[in-house]
Amino acid sequence: MRRVPQYAALVAYIVFLAFPLVWLLSTALKTPREMAMADPTWIPRDPTLANFADAFGEQDLVGAALRSLVVALFSSVLTVLVSLPAAYAMARYRGLLNKIAIGWVLVSQVFPFILIIIPLFMIMRDLALVNTLPGLVLVHVTFTLPFALWMLQGYVRAVPRELEEAAAVDGATRLRSIASVVAPLLAPGVVATLLFSFISSWNEFMFALVILQNPDVMTLPLTLVRFTGPEGVARLGPLAAASLMATIPSLIFFAIIQRRLKSGLMAGAVKG
Amino acid sequence: MRIRSALAAAAVLTLAAACSGGGGGESSAAPNEPVKINFLSLAWQKESLAANKQLVDEWNKANPKIQVTYVQGSWDNVNDQLVTQFAGGTAPDVIHNDSPALAGFSSDGYLLDLKDKLPAELKSDIPQAAWDTVTFDDGKGRQGVYGVPFLQESQVIIANKKLLDASGVRVPTSDNPWTWDEFSAAAKKMTKDGNFGVAWPMKSPVNKTLNLALNFGGTFFQTADGKTTVKVGPEEREVLQRIHDQLYKDKSADPAALGQGTADPLPAFYKGKFALLPAGVYLRQQVAEQAPDGFEWVTLPAPKGTSAQQGAVSQTLSIAQESKHPDEAMKFIAFFLNGQNQAKLAKGDWLLPTSQTAAADPAMTTKENGWDVATASAKNLVVAPFLKVNGFDEWKSKVATPVLQEYFGNKITIDQAASKLVEDGNKVLERYQR
């Protein structure tokens, strides 16, 4: 009985977290008439799949989702691969250069992207990367990198330097101590950075808007926005149906990676 | 997004020189060489989308040597997208947009002057008033035609028929609309039992109020000695004050709608929380689709002041200056916007066609869903001077929107609002006139 309040709080929290998804599902199944009712209903009175038919019939949602998935996976993996060694160096080596590098990472975050988007677009055009998914991956990596670097160097700092020193006393080389001692402890941080990079890329709209002009290469955010009109007016039904579908790959990715996140935490605990 | 567009446009100016060249109105295609044209469309409503795609398919079947690729964009982001693509020289050949956006792009040299390319049939089918909405300075003092206007939006009043009839007020017609005094009196009469006569959704107040301000000759801008400045005199204040009075003096306007977007008050409208909803003609589509069984609604003409004039904004098709196939693009536009096709597009978007042939289509004059009133309102559309002002877009987003929201929110007086609109507005305009 003592646990009842705990369970109640847990259920309330889950309901709170699930609310947007449930509302999305409910909206996706409603008729336009029911959607416009002044007293909204939780469970559609006259559920319909017409919104899904419209959304999938009008737009290549599956193709767009697959392209988004490819871009997000490549972007997140590349971001982590590039930022990991740099983050280690930033965290472990202290000096003027290091301070400048950290400062630059922070400064790079304050530029409004509209200032750089046109020169960037021209560079992409000259490299023949406009209208290509590799071009978009490159841009996403570039713009996720500073924050990923910042995140990861924090995780590296959290790994006690003494562990590496102890490994060195035992005769391990620096590379060996990084591989055997630091890397397992960094796993949760790497997974968290991977998640952050994946979500950033999956949801990214503006760069995709200017770089991808061919309808055959457009990603999911560009496809979803087609259900909106001027001044915030939207076709809510198809938009909800398409958005619901858009959350599924993310949810699957989270479900898979969450186990890694947990196992990484466990590994860190044992090593620590 | 508009602010970003303005900033980006400034950045683009510095880069434009490096990217100029290309198109310039001459087709690069050799005779009989098949060409490909990209068509950026902003259609988003189901019927409009279907009509657009169907017309492109028809064209492609009939013209195997001029193939059009349909590229769908969105209204909220099109100008950000175009700013980059113009600067990078990769803009689509045929561009769907609205007339206010063309002013900046034409003066920056990104759009082709269509004056000498327009087929006579298309030119004569669209009245001069509509052509005026797409006639702009090319940045070097020459006037050009930078788009073909094809759909227009006017303001109407969507009314709850039951409440309208019960109030006993005179029902306005296109030939005899309400005056603003009659409109205010009707709204007051319909305000009872906790319900209101009218609702003014003012999340985006500028277009609506400025277009209606022409009822009293309110132009908001004046040009003297080649310099344009903001003007908020008695003519400009009239509509602003009348709406404010409905909200705070008569208390006949629903305050709950004030912060809402255009379509947001509809659920309350269906419930009878208010009787009259001033809106663009396109909103009829949502009412027709969403209104509950048994809910009766009618379309009324907008009120008139010293005239019934409203500011006209056109949806347009333009050709990028950089296009390698401008002649073929023009042929496609001429097909896409012929009278018959404009009627299809107008029906799909629930807007008014500029084509006189299309406007005569029986579907455009039927009483069903208020098409007769909507189509009749087109005669009141005139070019609003503010839409031709270089810098209007920035004035609108940075100055007018927040100021009007404060004014309609009763946080500042009309004198304070006028002063801010003028002083802050002139600072914005100055940058565009150096």
Side-chain angles (χ1 to χ4, degrees):
Chain A
M1 283 301 282
R2 279 188 309 172
R3 294 202 164 180
V4 170
Q6 286 176 22
Y7 283 122
L10 191 64
V11 168
Y13 187 56
I14 290 170
V15 167
F16 175 73
L17 290 183
F19 176 80
L21 209 58
V22 172
W23 192 248
L24 204 58
L25 177 66
S26 170
T27 306
L29 294 171
K30 283 178 184 171
T31 60
R33 199 164 285 182
E34 193 170 355
M35 240 177 283
M37 281 168 47
D39 304 313
T41 49
W42 276 96
I43 299 167
R45 289 178 188 166
D46 186 15
T48 173
L49 292 175
N51 293 322
F52 288 90
D54 282 351
F56 282 85
E58 288 171 23
Q59 307 295 344
D60 175 22
L61 287 173
V62 176
L66 283 175
R67 288 188 286 275
S68 275
L69 195 62
V70 167
V71 169
L73 283 174
F74 273 94
S75 300
S76 51
V77 170
L78 269 176
T79 300
V80 168
L81 285 179
V82 173
S83 59
L84 199 52
Y88 183 83
M90 277 171 66
R92 286 294 187 248
Y93 297 102
R94 288 181 185 160
L96 182 65
L97 194 65
N98 185 295
K99 282 181 184 166
I100 293 171
I102 292 174
W104 179 244
V105 168
L106 282 178
V107 168
S108 69
Q109 293 287 291
V110 303
F111 287 121
F113 79 90
I114 199 71
L115 287 180
I116 47 171
I117 199 162
I118 293 170
L120 176 83
F121 181 81
M122 289 175 170
I123 294 168
M124 301 293 286
R125 182 198 59 185
D126 294 344
L127 294 172
L129 287 171
V130 167
N131 261 331
T132 67
L133 295 185
L136 189 62
V137 169
L138 201 63
V139 173
H140 284 181
V141 170
T142 310
F143 284 90
T144 321
L145 205 58
F147 194 77
L149 203 54
W150 192 252
M151 271 179 84
L152 273 175
Q153 66 104 19
Y155 283 110
V156 175
R157 274 183 208 277
V159 176
R161 193 186 282 267
E162 289 75 15
L163 289 178
E164 284 180 76
E165 289 167 357
V169 169
D170 290 341
T173 61
R174 179 173 282 275
L175 276 179
R176 177 69 194 270
S177 69
I178 289 173
S180 303
V181 178
V182 180
L185 294 172
L186 269 184
V190 169
V191 173
T193 311
L194 207 61
L195 278 176
F196 160 76
S197 309
F198 181 88
I199 296 298
S200 298
S201 178
W202 178 260
N203 290 329
E204 199 285 319
F205 174 77
M206 205 62 206
F207 288 119
L209 177 74
V210 296
I211 287 171
L212 306 178
Q213 299 160 18
N214 183 339
D216 296 336
V217 293
M218 287 187 177
T219 51
L220 200 55
L222 299 183
T223 310
L224 291 181
V225 83
R226 292 171 178 178
F227 296 107
T228 63
E231 295 187 356
V233 182
R235 291 173 59 205
L236 275 183
L239 180 61
S243 301
L244 190 68
M245 180 261 171
T247 61
I248 292 170
S250 274
L251 288 176
I252 293 171
F253 183 73
F254 266 78
I256 293 168
I257 214 159
Q258 194 194 26
R259 288 184 192 165
R260 301 285 170 203
L261 188 65
K262 275 194 283 186
S263 66
L265 281 168
M266 297 287 281
V270 173
K271 290 283 179 188
Chain B
M1 287 299 170
R2 294 271 165 128
I3 298 171
R4 285 178 173 175
S5 299
L7 288 170
V12 165
L13 284 174
T14 59
L15 294 159
C19 306
S20 60
E26 297 299 323
S27 178
S28 69
N32 296 322
E33 184 186 339
V35 298
K36 284 191 175 175
I37 289 171
N38 281 331
F39 165 37
L40 178 70
S41 164
L42 301 178
W44 66 282
Q45 305 229 47
K46 188 178 177 179
E47 296 85 356
S48 170
L49 205 60
N52 269 259
K53 287 181 176 173
Q54 184 208 332
L55 293 177
V56 169
D57 285 346
E58 272 179 36
W59 169 269
N60 283 340
K61 273 181 198 151
N63 298 275
K65 295 203 170 168
I66 307 173
Q67 289 294 286
V68 173
T69 304
Y70 180 87
V71 183
Q72 202 183 331
S74 78
W75 281 105
D76 276 351
N77 316 98
V78 65
N79 291 329
D80 292 320
Q81 184 181 16
L82 286 174
V83 160
T84 319
Q85 293 177 353
F86 280 137
T90 60
D93 302 271
V94 177
I95 299 162
H96 182 185
N97 210 324
D98 60 13
S99 52
L102 303 190
F105 289 140
S106 61
S107 68
D108 288 343
Y110 291 129
L111 297 177
L112 190 66
D113 181 0
L114 307 178
K115 200 167 51 219
D116 301 324
K117 288 189 179 291
L118 293 167
E121 196 182 341
L122 181 66
K123 200 173 176 181
S124 60
D125 192 24
I126 296 174
Q128 188 55 42
W131 288 114
D132 289 344
T133 65
V134 290
T135 304
F136 297 103
D137 194 305
D138 68 350
K140 295 168 192 157
R142 287 187 299 265
Q143 295 287 304
V145 175
Y146 291 96
V148 179
F150 68 105
L151 293 178
Q152 293 186 309
E153 178 192 322
S154 61
Q155 293 289 313
V156 290
I157 299 171
I158 299 173
N160 179 324
K161 189 173 184 304
K162 199 170 146 190
L163 296 178
L164 181 72
D165 291 344
S167 71
V169 299
R170 178 180 77 83
V171 177
T173 62
S174 297
D175 294 331
N176 189 13
W178 279 334
T179 62
W180 273 86
D181 288 339
E182 283 180 293
F183 174 38
S184 296
K188 272 164 83 174
K189 210 164 179 186
M190 290 181 216
T191 301
K192 55 184 174 187
D193 306 328
N195 298 327
F196 293 87
V198 63
W200 287 98
M202 286 297 183
K203 191 177 170 189
S204 307
V206 182
N207 280 5
K208 185 177 291 181
T209 47
L210 264 62
N211 285 334
L212 287 175
L214 281 173
N215 279 190
F216 293 95
T219 56
F220 281 88
F221 292 89
Q222 60 191 357
T223 302
D225 301 327
K227 192 177 177 189
T228 301
T229 50
V230 184
K231 161 183 170 270
V232 186
E235 299 88 355
E236 285 75 22
R237 291 179 184 215
E238 194 75 38
V239 164
L240 303 184
Q241 183 70 61
R242 284 170 182 267
I243 295 172
H244 193 273
D245 283 352
Q246 287 188 333
L247 280 157
Y248 302 104
K249 194 174 151 196
D250 303 346
K251 296 190 191 299
S252 59
D254 187 350
L258 201 56
Q260 295 183 333
T262 310
D264 296 339
L266 286 176
F269 177 61
Y270 303 140
K271 222 179 168 187
K273 291 283 179 194
F274 57 88
L276 307 169
L277 178 60
V281 283
Y282 70 91
L283 201 68
R284 294 171 302 132
Q285 187 268 340
Q286 295 214 9
V287 181
E289 187 181 77
Q290 296 174 344
D293 288 334
F295 181 87
E296 288 184 85
W297 60 281
V298 288
T299 305
L300 308 178
K304 67 172 182 182
T306 49
S307 79
Q309 286 187 347
Q310 297 182 25
V313 177
S314 310
Q315 287 190 28
T316 57
L317 289 190
S318 302
I319 299 177
Q321 177 73 30
E322 294 281 333
S323 171
K324 293 189 176 87
H325 311 295
D327 295 330
E328 290 82 356
M330 190 69 246
K331 280 182 193 165
F332 168 69
I333 290 175
F335 159 79
F336 196 80
L337 300 184
N338 70 33
Q340 191 187 353
N341 291 342
Q342 271 204 41
K344 283 183 195 167
L345 295 168
K347 272 191 319 198
D349 254 332
W350 291 65
L351 288 167
L352 314 172
T354 55
S355 155
Q356 295 168 100
T357 314
D361 187 301
M364 294 284 113
T365 50
T366 172
K367 284 194 181 303
E368 194 183 352
N369 294 324
W371 273 106
D372 53 343
V373 176
T375 302
S377 67
K379 68 176 186 293
N380 298 320
L381 293 174
V382 294
V383 183
F386 45 83
L387 297 176
K388 298 235 171 191
V389 173
N390 200 5
F392 169 74
D393 215 24
E394 192 180 340
W395 176 80
K396 177 184 163 183
S397 58
K398 281 187 179 169
V399 181
T401 300
V403 167
L404 290 182
Q405 282 171 342
E406 278 187 289
Y407 172 62
F408 289 126
N410 209 25
K411 293 190 174 71
I412 55 175
T413 64
I414 195 157
D415 288 335
Q416 289 170 318
S419 163
K420 282 187 181 192
L421 288 171
V422 173
E423 286 167 22
D424 297 352
N426 284 340
K427 283 180 198 158
V428 170
L429 293 191
E430 252 179 54
R431 290 207 307 279
Y432 288 84
Q433 298 179 76
R434 281 174 191 155

